């Protein structure tokens, strides 16, 4: 793609420009990761994740329509700046899977999906790039695909992202402890759609089963009870007894205030970059 911009004929400089395009996404994501994490604590996890998907979609469209190196750099940087939510995603998984014995299996899904995408993405890009040269019987010269030869793979990935955005809006639940009880219109619409499809599938089955149950209940009600069970006496009444549970201790406002202050999470940049976090950052930096 960088070679198609006709910046230079020197292959070493082309490799340098290609490296800039690749690193623009990572640098922008690194610069905004902490900011997105703080924002997710204020507005919730779901809005931040949805903004990340929408940002990736816009980035791919901008990258597909890029006709020069600055536009390509801008598109990749836009995707990284709006998609710095890896930490938010890990926090969401931790809030969904609360039992520690299931957390290793849950965390293993994210590297698997990332690796699968890293394999599938280049295959889509290589197969659909420059469609007028690779598939001349489907894509004619002089069309939009000829003017922007790298637009088609980005459009296909954008369509996949649209599906992910729709699924996220309709079925992803908020996991933040304080924001999870607020009203979510998208989630309500998703539940209505699920009830509608489930209702249409089970309508015939419910009608048949309901008729069978009604017939059986009617036959039981029509039968007369045995003579020994005919009685007009009510159930025996027992006098009410006081509760034997111990009385609750008196409420101490000062102790409750101290307990609440001790459970309040600490904020600040010095509490964010703890020793384990710094060690993980250095380790991932060495591996990268």
């Amino acid at each position: 793609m960088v070679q198609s911009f006709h910046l230079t004929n020197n292959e070493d400089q082309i490799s340098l420009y290609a490296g800039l395009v690749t690193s623009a996404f990572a640098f922008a994501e690194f610069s905004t990761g902490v900011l997105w994490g703080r924002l997710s604590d204020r507005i919730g996890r779901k809005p931040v994740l949805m903004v990340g998907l929408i940002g990736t979609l816009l980035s791919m469209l901008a990258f597909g329509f890029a006709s020069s190196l600055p536009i390509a750099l801008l598109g990749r940087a836009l995707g990284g700046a709006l998609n710095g939510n890896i930490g938010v995603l890990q926090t969401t998984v931790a809030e969904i899977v609360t039992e520690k014995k299931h957390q290793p299996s849950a965390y293993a899904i994210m590297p698997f999906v990332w690796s699968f995408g890293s394999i599938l993405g280049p295959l889509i890009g290589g197969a659909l790039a420059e469609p007028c040269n690779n598939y001349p019987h489907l894509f004619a010269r002089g069309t939009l695909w000829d003017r922007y030869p790298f637009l088609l793979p980005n459009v296909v990935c954008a369509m996949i992202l649209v599906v992910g955005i729709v699924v996220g809006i309709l079925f992803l639940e908020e996991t933040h402890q304080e924001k999870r009880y607020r009203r979510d219109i998208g989630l309500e619409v998703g539940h209505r759609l699920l009830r509608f499809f489930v209702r249409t599938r089970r309508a015939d089955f419910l009608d048949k089963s309901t008729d069978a149950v009604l017939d059986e209940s009617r036959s039981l009600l029509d039968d007369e009870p045995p003579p020994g069970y005919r009685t007009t006496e009510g159930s025996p009444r027992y006098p009410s007894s006081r509760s034997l549970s111990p009385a609750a201790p008196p409420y101490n406002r000062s102790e409750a205030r101290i307990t609440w202050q001790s459970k309040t999470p600490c904020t600040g940049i010095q509490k964010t970059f703890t020793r384990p976090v710094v060690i993980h950052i250095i380790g991932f930096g060495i591996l990268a």
Side-chain angles (χ1 to χ4, degrees):
M1 180 177 184
V2 176
Q3 189 176 5
S4 65
F5 295 152
H6 303 290
L7 297 174
T8 180
N9 294 326
N10 191 350
E11 295 183 357
D12 295 335
Q13 292 183 359
I14 293 177
S15 301
L16 175 62
Y17 294 144
L20 290 176
V21 173
T22 304
S23 61
F25 179 90
F27 180 76
E29 186 179 18
F30 165 77
S31 302
T32 59
V34 178
L35 300 178
W36 285 116
R38 290 184 176 180
L39 185 62
S40 69
D41 292 334
R42 295 183 179 180
I43 66 175
R45 319 295 186 205
K46 182 176 179 178
V48 173
L49 294 177
M50 292 299 100
V51 169
L53 291 177
I54 296 173
T56 304
L57 187 148
L58 297 176
S59 169
M60 287 187 172
L61 293 179
F63 192 70
F65 281 104
S67 58
S68 61
L69 181 62
I71 299 178
L73 290 174
L74 180 62
R76 293 295 294 167
L78 178 65
L82 296 178
N83 199 26
N85 53 12
I86 296 179
V88 180
L89 182 60
Q90 293 178 350
T91 304
T92 304
V93 173
E95 292 173 345
I96 293 175
V97 185
T98 57
E99 296 185 9
K100 293 184 178 180
K101 62 180 180 179
H102 299 308
Q103 287 181 353
S105 300
Y107 282 114
I109 297 176
M110 291 184 291
F112 171 77
V113 175
W114 179 271
S115 301
F116 181 75
S118 301
I119 296 173
L120 184 62
L123 290 176
I124 295 176
L128 300 180
E130 297 182 346
C132 295
N133 295 332
N134 298 326
Y135 311 101
H137 57 285
L138 296 177
F139 302 92
R141 292 288 182 178
T143 58
L144 181 67
W145 313 110
D146 188 21
R147 184 178 180 183
Y148 302 102
F150 301 97
L151 177 61
L152 182 59
N154 289 277
V155 169
V156 173
C157 294
M159 294 173 62
I160 298 174
L161 282 171
V162 169
V163 175
I165 292 170
V166 173
V167 172
I169 292 175
L170 296 179
F171 304 110
L172 179 62
E173 297 182 0
E174 178 60 53
T175 59
H176 194 280
Q177 189 65 26
E178 299 177 358
K179 308 294 189 303
R180 65 193 311 174
Y181 300 108
R182 65 186 178 185
R183 184 181 180 184
D184 191 342
I185 299 177
L187 195 61
E188 292 177 0
V189 175
H191 288 168
R192 290 179 182 177
L193 291 175
L194 286 178
R195 286 197 298 266
F196 174 76
F197 286 109
V198 171
R199 188 179 304 170
T200 53
R201 286 186 176 183
R202 297 184 178 179
D204 298 335
F205 174 76
L206 290 176
D207 292 339
K208 295 179 180 179
S209 60
T210 303
D211 294 338
V213 171
L214 289 176
D215 293 338
E216 184 177 359
S217 60
R218 288 171 184 173
S219 62
L220 292 175
L221 291 175
D222 293 338
D223 295 338
E224 294 184 358
Y229 289 93
R230 296 177 182 176
T231 177
T232 57
E233 297 179 359
S235 301
R237 298 182 179 180
Y238 296 94
S240 60
S241 59
R242 295 182 180 180
S243 176
L244 300 178
S245 59
Y251 177 75
N252 194 339
R253 182 173 297 179
S254 60
E255 293 181 359
R257 185 179 303 173
I258 294 174
T259 304
W260 180 82
Q261 291 178 356
S262 62
K263 293 183 179 180
T264 303
C266 300
T267 58
I269 194 68
Q270 68 274 10
K271 297 298 181 181
T272 302
F273 293 98
T274 59
R275 183 177 179 182
V277 173
V278 173
I279 293 175
H280 279 79
I281 293 175
I282 295 174
F284 278 109
I286 295 174
L287 292 176

